[in-house]
Amino acid sequence: MTVDLRSLYQEIIVDHNRRPRNFREIPDADRTANGDNPLCGDRLTVYVKVQGGVIRDIGFVGNGCAISTASASLMTEALLGKTEQEAAALFEKFHDRIAGTGRGTDGSLGKLEAFAGVREFPARVKCATLAWHTARTALNTPGRTASTE
């Protein structure tokens, strides 16, 4: 990764941490889940409204580090308008890129590539994936708590 590209990605993470998008409860959400990273204390709740198998609205609230907050913010932007199947596929691709084999380097993750560098810091992987695990829990087993442990 070039220095310029790395700087751009850092700007994206800083921006989404300072001004998280979709940082709000959704009172009429039909699916919610809590997420907990006991290692660092990050906690959040993800709210999802699904109609006809499509994510029509998604938001989150909670407290976390810059990586956790930025990841939740970018995740909500990425999942909005996706079908549940598309959301599941994106979860797998993101998770593999950050915590798995590292495939998915074809650029199809768009802004989510900003978290590719997290692979180099294993303790931060759970921060970057907490919101994703929580959203997956909300979609598959609403009302439960996702944990990174």
Side-chain angles (χ1 to χ4, degrees):
M1 184 180 297
T2 67
V3 173
D4 289 341
L5 194 53
R6 198 172 287 224
S7 294
L8 171 64
Y9 287 155
Q10 285 190 338
E11 285 179 33
I12 289 170
I13 290 172
V14 168
D15 180 46
H16 277 264
N17 176 53
R18 288 186 180 155
R19 297 181 306 117
R21 280 58 156 192
N22 301 306
F23 186 81
R24 58 186 165 76
E25 292 182 23
I26 300 174
D28 62 342
D30 50 12
R31 302 180 197 187
T32 64
N34 297 310
D36 182 26
N37 181 353
L39 186 65
C40 67
D42 293 350
R43 289 179 181 226
L44 57 86
T45 301
V46 172
Y47 301 86
V48 185
K49 186 170 184 171
V50 178
Q51 292 175 329
V54 176
I55 298 172
R56 299 292 182 192
D57 201 2
I58 183 168
F60 75 101
V61 297
N63 295 309
C65 66
I67 295 293
S68 176
T69 301
S71 182
S73 175
L74 283 157
M75 177 197 74
T76 61
E77 287 188 333
L79 295 183
L80 187 63
K82 296 268 190 295
T83 66
E84 293 181 76
Q85 293 78 22
E86 290 170 334
L90 189 55
F91 170 88
E92 294 299 328
K93 195 169 196 172
F94 180 79
H95 193 269
D96 189 53
R97 182 76 171 107
I98 304 303
T101 64
R103 288 178 287 171
T105 58
D106 59 359
S108 63
L109 286 174
K111 291 180 181 178
L112 296 171
E113 283 290 333
F115 297 98
V118 171
R119 286 182 63 82
E120 299 170 25
F121 306 95
R124 304 309 300 269
V125 167
K126 293 179 180 181
C127 301
T129 59
L130 176 63
W132 291 82
H133 284 286
T134 307
R136 185 171 72 167
T137 298
L139 289 169
N140 296 335
T141 54
R144 301 192 83 178
T145 297
S147 176
T148 56
E149 294 302 313

